[in-house]
Amino acid sequence: ILKKIPTFKTHQESVVTVANLYKTKGLETLIKAAYTLEHTYDYKPIFVVMGEGGERENLESLMKELDVTNVFLIGSVEGASKYLKAFNLFVLPSVKEGFPYAPIEAAAAGLPIVATDVGGIPEMSQTIPMSLVVPRDDKALANTIFSTLHENKHQSALADIQEFTLDHMVTKTKEVYRKIYDKHN
């Protein structure tokens, strides 16, 4: 993966996002946050986006327009979760979400997490330590990325993710059905 990032230095801080390149993933906000970090804080970590989709051209145009050179759209990466430990921070800047699995994988990898306060992410944040920001707010995202990387010294998100295993989900689903059944019988 790092071969796809020509300017990467091993001591440079790095941010990873695993998301398809769709409007709902808020990647424009991530690019604008990278711009804000450089121009407000004189801080330029590497941003790596693993994923592919129809917004690639628009995102590349935005990066060119803002002259953002530290965001890399590296395409789909098979088994992306096994590479997460190589990064310092996981960010999910979505504007719309269900219950995404990528933050769970990031927590399992021990990464600090910054995500937007949408969909099932707030529920997830009750179990997995993460910082939540308002969607589409590039300045808030930049500030939270900066404080997480620069001030918090990479506090790990290692969490008990047992709540998000398949067995746990099946058990909880059965409990819901059992309550419904008992209520009607």
Side-chain angles (χ1 to χ4, degrees):
I1 288 179
L2 297 180
K3 292 176 184 173
K4 296 181 179 186
I5 309 166
T7 61
F8 185 78
K9 299 172 184 78
T10 55
H11 64 278
Q12 190 168 13
E13 291 184 316
S14 56
V15 176
V16 65
T17 298
V18 180
N20 289 317
L21 309 184
Y22 301 146
K23 281 244 185 240
T24 58
K25 294 301 180 177
L27 298 171
E28 304 90 358
T29 305
L30 185 71
I31 292 166
K32 291 175 183 176
Y35 174 86
T36 299
L37 282 168
E38 181 176 358
H39 292 88
T40 300
Y41 294 103
D42 192 28
Y43 186 61
K44 197 171 178 178
I46 293 290
F47 289 81
V48 174
V49 179
M50 296 183 200
E52 194 54 72
E55 283 297 301
R56 174 177 284 281
E57 192 174 304
N58 292 335
L59 296 171
E60 288 172 343
S61 292
L62 180 60
M63 291 186 311
K64 186 174 182 179
E65 175 187 327
L66 296 176
D67 193 28
V68 171
T69 60
N70 60 321
V71 176
F72 298 90
L73 310 175
I74 65 169
S76 293
V77 175
E78 190 163 335
S81 63
K82 67 184 173 188
Y83 299 106
L84 294 178
K85 288 183 180 186
F87 298 91
N88 302 112
L89 175 66
F90 177 85
V91 175
L92 189 62
S94 300
V95 296
K96 180 181 175 187
E97 241 350 307
F99 197 83
Y101 200 70
I104 298 168
E105 293 175 326
L111 292 180
I113 299 166
V114 174
T116 46
D117 191 3
V118 297
I121 295 173
E123 178 185 342
M124 188 180 291
S125 72
Q126 294 173 11
T127 304
I128 296 174
M130 64 178 74
S131 298
L132 297 179
V133 297
V134 175
R136 294 187 179 99
D137 188 340
D138 56 283
K139 294 189 180 18
L141 184 60
N143 292 338
T144 306
I145 290 170
F146 181 80
S147 65
T148 303
L149 284 173
H150 187 71
E151 296 167 3
N152 293 341
K153 302 298 181 204
H154 314 300
Q155 291 180 0
S156 173
L158 278 176
D160 180 10
I161 60 170
Q162 295 305 311
E163 182 174 330
F164 303 108
T165 64
L166 179 60
D167 288 341
H168 184 76
M169 182 185 71
V170 169
T171 299
K172 290 295 188 182
T173 302
K174 284 180 179 177
E175 287 174 12
V176 169
Y177 282 112
R178 175 62 58 199
K179 286 179 186 176
I180 292 169
Y181 177 82
D182 290 346
K183 184 178 180 179
H184 295 289
N185 288 321

